[in-house]
């Protein structure tokens, strides 16, 4: 009764395995059949059956890719398996391929060599023997073995496969001409060999023969119908060759509904000169993903290409309004100057956003831009707004230095400049240039020289090799009558910046005062 139960379970497990492997089976039903088959074999093993009962389980595990479990069974029942399956080619192939999957390349090679001695005309064994040589990095041995397989008329039906393997080895060895010769021999034997066409396309692309690569990818797609990754590679190649209409045609075949798809299509159409269609598709991308940065940048570019600079600026303004702290958007808006958008219009756009949603980057940018057009009064007004907006003391110190520097260059009242700088250096992490400027002004005014020396030493603690800090200290020491020390520092500064005429004047003055 036990034996009949075991036979029944074995047959049931085999039946469910076969049913699950049927090509008409849907994936979910296939998985269910294989799972039931596995559970059936587990019940069978509870009876501790003869070792031959493991054959069906081994086939099931191999088809399911459970190489770890197979390896465990082989280790546990090595002697029994060797005895029971010594004449079973299929099971020995499972053992060999499991060794390959487990990374035991030398062991796999030994098994395949034994099998090849016993079955010299078996094409499957010949193929996996070559694979074992390749995985074991015995490439010259693999090439020699493949030559012998190609010379064997009994293996003629698989010669195309051996040529294919040779091509892959030659490519690995960077012998690209030989690799191309081998893959062409393979395709001559089997013109509809899809993997061969794909490899030829990759190989010719690697060789820089882009037109041949495009032909290869197209031929492969004609054979297999759809392959999104290959289609995308083909699109990229066509794009690089500025064959935009062909690229757009292949992209449409993907028929995706993702923001990335619409963005790629818009980009290709833009490069092809079809700005209206490009705008339609970039809008679709943004509708699906409103914060798609690359799509927003492309939309701006499309507006500019259409000659509608103000639409581009308005779009950027709305984008900035959504995220007024985004420094990259601000920088992009400023770059619109290169597309004939006036700086005046850009500044007004930035001001509209700042009035609604002030941010540190926005206020700083507006201050900088007003300085660029020499409107110092407005520039300072935005720096003062920034002072009130931020709580960052380090930033406050930098902003106050900038205000003082403007006041100094505009030769405003010394007392006001001094007060601004004193406020700048009052913070814990004061900006070193504020120490330097205050010390320099004291030296120019020939007052508070000891305090000036303390200030410039604080600046040099931050940047000991700053040539203009060294120049300031040299000037302070000169005013203090410490001429020798002054000359030494000024010479150091002049060596660092021989182009600076102010340092040269100070050095000459120090030398003349000796």
């Amino acid at each position: 009764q036990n034996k009949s139960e075991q036979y029944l379970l074995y047959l049931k497990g085999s039946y469910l395995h076969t049913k699950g492997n049927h090509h008409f089976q849907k994936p979910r039903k296939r998985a269910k059949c294989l799972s039931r088959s596995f559970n059936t074999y587990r019940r069978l093993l509870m009876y501790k059956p003869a070792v031959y009962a493991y054959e069906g389980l081994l086939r099931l595990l191999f088809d399911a890719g459970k190489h770890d479990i197979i390896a465990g069974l082989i280790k546990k029942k090595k002697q029994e398996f060797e005895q029971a399956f010594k004449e079973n080619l299929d099971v020995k192939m499972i053992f060999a391929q499991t060794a390959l999957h487990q990374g035991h390349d030398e062991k796999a090679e030994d098994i395949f060599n034994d099998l090849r001695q016993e079955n010299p005309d078996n094409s499957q064994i010949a193929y996996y023997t070559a694979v074992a040589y390749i995985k074991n990095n015995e490439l010259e041995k693999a090439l020699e073995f493949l030559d012998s397989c190609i010379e064997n008329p009994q293996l003629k039906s698989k010669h195309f496969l051996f040529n294919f393997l040779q091509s892959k080895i030659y490519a690995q060895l960077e012998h690209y001409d030989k690799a191309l010769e081998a893959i062409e021999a393979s395709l001559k034997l089997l013109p509809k060999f899809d993997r061969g066409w794909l490899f030829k396309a990759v190989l010719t692309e690697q060789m820089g023969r882009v037109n041949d690569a495009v032909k290869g990818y197209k031929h492969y797609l004609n054979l297999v119908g759809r392959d999104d990754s290959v289609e995308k590679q083909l699109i990229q190649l066509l794009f690089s060759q500025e064959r935009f209409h062909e690229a757009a045609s292949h992209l449409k075949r993907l028929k995706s509904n993702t923001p990335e798809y619409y963005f790629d299509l818009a980009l290709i159409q833009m490069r092809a000169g079809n700005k209206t269609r490009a705008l339609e598709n970039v809008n679709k991308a943004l509708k699906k993903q409103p914060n798609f940065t690359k799509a927003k940048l492309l939309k701006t570019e499309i507006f500019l290409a259409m000659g509608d600079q103000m639409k581009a600026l308005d779009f950027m303004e709305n984008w900035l309004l959504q995220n007024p702290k985004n420094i990259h958007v601000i920088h992009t808006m400023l770059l619109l100057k290169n597309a004939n958008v006036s700086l005046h219009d850009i500044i007004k756009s930035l001001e509209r956003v700042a009035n609604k949603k002030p941010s540190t980057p926005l206020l700083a940018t507006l201050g900088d831009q007003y300085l660029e057009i020499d409107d110092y009064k407005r520039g300072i007004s935005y720096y003062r707004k920034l002072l009130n907006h931020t709580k960052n003391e380090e930033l406050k110190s930098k902003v106050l230095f900038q205000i003082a520097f403007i006041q100094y260059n505009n030769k405003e009242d010394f007392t006001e400049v001094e007060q601004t700088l004193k406020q700048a250096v009052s913070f814990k992490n004061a900006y070193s240039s504020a120490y330097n400027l205050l010390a320099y002004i004291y030296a120019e005014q020939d007052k508070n020289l000891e305090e000036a020396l303390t200030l410039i030493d604080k600046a040099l603690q931050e940047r000991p090799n700053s040539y203009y800090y060294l120049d300031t200290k040299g000037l302070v020491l000169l005013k203090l009558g410490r001429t020798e020390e002054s000359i030494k520092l000024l010479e150091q500064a002049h060596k660092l910046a021989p182009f600076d005429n102010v340092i040269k004047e100070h050095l000459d003055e120090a030398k003349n005062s000796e």
Side-chain angles (χ1 to χ4, degrees):
Q1 187 176 351
N2 279 348
K3 281 191 176 182
S4 62
E5 184 71 18
Q6 289 176 44
Y7 280 120
L8 178 62
L9 288 170
Y10 188 87
L11 289 169
K12 184 179 179 181
S14 299
Y15 166 74
L16 289 168
H17 180 192
T18 306
K19 185 179 179 182
N21 276 350
H22 199 280
H23 65 278
F24 287 122
Q25 200 71 268
K26 291 181 179 179
R28 185 176 291 181
K29 284 192 175 182
R30 179 180 184 277
K32 188 176 180 180
C33 285
L34 296 180
S35 177
R36 288 178 62 197
S37 176
F38 183 68
N39 289 332
T40 303
Y41 280 117
R42 285 181 65 185
R43 285 173 58 197
L44 171 59
L45 295 182
M46 292 172 66
Y47 286 96
K48 296 183 180 179
V51 68
Y52 302 99
Y54 281 87
E55 180 178 350
L57 177 60
L58 289 167
R59 291 176 186 273
L60 172 65
L61 291 170
F62 184 77
D63 285 349
K66 305 291 185 181
H67 305 292
D68 290 341
I69 300 176
I70 296 173
L73 287 172
I74 293 170
K75 186 177 180 181
K76 186 178 179 180
K77 295 186 170 289
K78 183 179 178 182
Q79 290 184 343
E80 292 177 75
F81 281 178
E82 285 178 354
Q83 182 64 33
F85 302 122
K86 62 182 179 182
E87 303 296 332
N88 192 320
L89 179 59
D90 290 342
V91 174
K92 289 175 82 172
M93 282 290 289
I94 289 173
F95 292 164
Q97 290 178 75
T98 296
L100 269 183
H101 281 286
Q102 292 290 107
H104 302 146
D105 302 327
E106 291 183 8
K107 183 179 178 182
E109 185 184 324
D110 289 341
I111 299 173
F112 282 124
N113 280 331
D114 289 343
L115 288 172
R116 188 164 52 87
Q117 296 297 326
E118 298 166 9
N119 306 273
D121 298 331
N122 186 299
S123 58
Q124 188 181 17
I125 293 172
Y127 172 81
Y128 279 107
T129 302
V131 170
Y133 284 140
I134 294 168
K135 288 200 72 176
N136 216 14
N137 207 32
E138 297 181 84
L139 303 183
E140 294 298 335
K141 197 172 182 180
L143 287 171
E144 187 180 333
F145 172 68
L146 287 166
D147 280 335
S148 69
C149 291
I150 292 168
E151 291 170 4
N152 185 345
Q154 300 299 320
L155 301 175
K156 188 176 180 179
S157 65
K158 299 297 179 184
H159 282 181
F160 77 96
L161 206 50
F162 302 134
N163 284 127
F164 173 70
L165 286 177
Q166 279 189 326
S167 181
K168 296 190 82 169
I169 295 170
Y170 282 129
Q172 192 174 333
L173 293 169
E174 297 184 4
H175 299 160
Y176 297 120
D177 290 335
K178 287 186 176 181
L180 186 59
E181 185 181 335
I183 196 62
E184 285 177 345
S186 173
L187 292 171
K188 187 176 180 180
L189 291 169
L190 189 65
K192 292 188 177 182
F193 181 29
D194 52 10
R195 285 171 59 202
W197 281 106
L198 180 59
F199 185 74
K200 183 180 178 181
V202 172
L203 179 63
T204 49
E205 183 181 354
Q206 200 169 356
M207 294 171 75
R209 295 168 56 170
V210 178
N211 288 332
D212 288 336
V214 167
K215 289 177 184 176
Y217 285 127
K218 284 184 175 182
H219 202 106
Y220 170 77
L221 290 168
N222 286 336
L223 289 172
V224 301
R226 284 289 303 276
D227 186 322
D228 286 358
S229 61
V230 173
E231 199 95 49
K232 287 175 182 177
Q233 183 64 17
L234 175 58
I235 291 164
Q236 187 177 327
L237 274 183
L238 291 168
F239 191 86
S240 70
Q241 293 288 295
E242 297 186 3
R243 294 159 67 173
F244 301 120
H245 291 293
E246 288 180 74
S249 173
H250 280 278
L251 186 58
K252 286 175 184 176
R253 284 178 57 183
L254 294 177
K255 294 181 180 177
S256 179
N257 196 28
T258 63
E260 290 79 9
Y261 165 76
Y262 289 114
F263 168 78
D264 289 341
L265 191 55
L267 181 61
I268 290 170
Q269 288 168 334
M270 167 68 178
R271 297 293 181 265
N274 195 339
K275 303 176 192 70
T276 305
R277 293 298 303 277
L279 188 59
E280 289 173 5
N281 282 302
V282 82
N283 283 334
K284 289 178 182 178
L286 288 169
K287 187 175 180 181
K288 289 189 169 294
Q289 189 176 324
N291 294 321
F292 193 172
T293 299
K294 288 199 296 183
K296 287 185 174 184
L297 291 171
L298 179 59
K299 185 170 181 177
T300 306
E301 188 183 341
I302 293 168
F303 280 138
L304 293 173
M306 296 172 88
D308 204 335
Q309 280 82 358
M310 294 315 295
K311 266 192 180 178
L313 184 59
D314 289 343
F315 176 70
M316 291 294 297
E317 183 180 324
N318 287 326
W319 183 4
L320 185 58
L321 198 57
Q322 294 165 17
N323 191 354
K325 295 180 181 179
N326 192 325
I327 193 69
H328 301 295
V329 180
I330 295 171
H331 286 165
T332 305
M333 286 184 74
L334 294 175
L335 288 173
L336 293 178
K337 289 184 292 185
N338 301 331
N340 298 320
V341 180
S342 76
L343 181 56
H344 174 79
D345 287 333
I346 294 170
I347 289 173
K348 290 302 175 188
S349 183
L350 291 169
E351 281 186 326
R352 284 192 292 271
V353 178
N355 290 335
K356 294 176 184 177
K357 294 183 178 180
S359 71
T360 298
L362 257 176
L363 296 171
T365 300
L366 282 164
D368 293 343
Q369 295 309 305
Y370 272 119
L371 290 193
E372 191 171 319
I373 59 175
D374 298 329
D375 191 338
Y376 301 110
K377 186 177 178 181
R378 290 201 180 197
I380 289 176
S381 74
Y382 272 103
Y383 287 138
R384 293 205 181 279
K385 286 180 182 180
L386 177 55
L387 282 174
N388 295 327
H389 180 80
T390 185
K391 293 180 180 179
N392 185 320
E393 291 190 353
E394 194 173 344
L395 178 58
K396 282 179 181 286
S397 182
K398 288 182 179 179
V399 173
L400 285 163
F401 162 77
Q402 185 76 340
I403 293 171
F405 189 71
I406 296 166
Q407 293 169 335
Y408 171 75
N409 281 334
N410 288 337
K411 303 187 186 306
E412 293 187 17
D413 181 63
F414 163 74
T415 305
E416 190 174 349
V417 178
E418 182 184 23
Q419 289 305 313
T420 304
L421 286 169
K422 279 187 172 182
Q423 191 181 351
V425 300
S426 66
F427 297 106
K428 185 177 179 181
N429 295 316
Y431 186 39
S432 59
S433 288
Y435 289 120
N436 174 69
L437 183 56
L438 185 54
Y440 189 81
I441 291 171
Y442 282 151
E444 278 191 326
Q445 296 285 325
D446 205 0
K447 62 179 284 189
N448 302 338
L449 294 175
E450 292 296 339
E451 184 182 347
L453 191 58
T454 303
L455 290 166
I456 191 58
D457 280 340
K458 286 182 178 179
L460 283 163
Q461 282 178 4
E462 292 291 322
R463 296 171 62 186
N465 295 316
S466 169
Y467 62 86
Y468 50 93
Y469 288 7
L470 292 168
D471 172 58
T472 298
K473 186 169 182 178
L475 184 61
V476 172
L477 290 170
L478 179 62
K479 297 285 185 173
L480 284 166
R482 295 159 62 175
T483 309
E484 190 176 333
E485 294 174 74
S486 171
I487 291 172
K488 186 177 178 182
L489 279 174
L490 289 169
E491 284 180 339
Q492 187 181 343
H494 182 60
K495 188 176 180 181
L496 289 169
F499 50 83
D500 194 308
N501 292 327
V502 174
I503 296 174
K504 180 71 167 59
E505 288 173 12
H506 291 159
L507 180 58
D508 290 342
E509 184 184 346
K511 286 180 176 179
N512 291 333
S513 67
E514 281 187 299

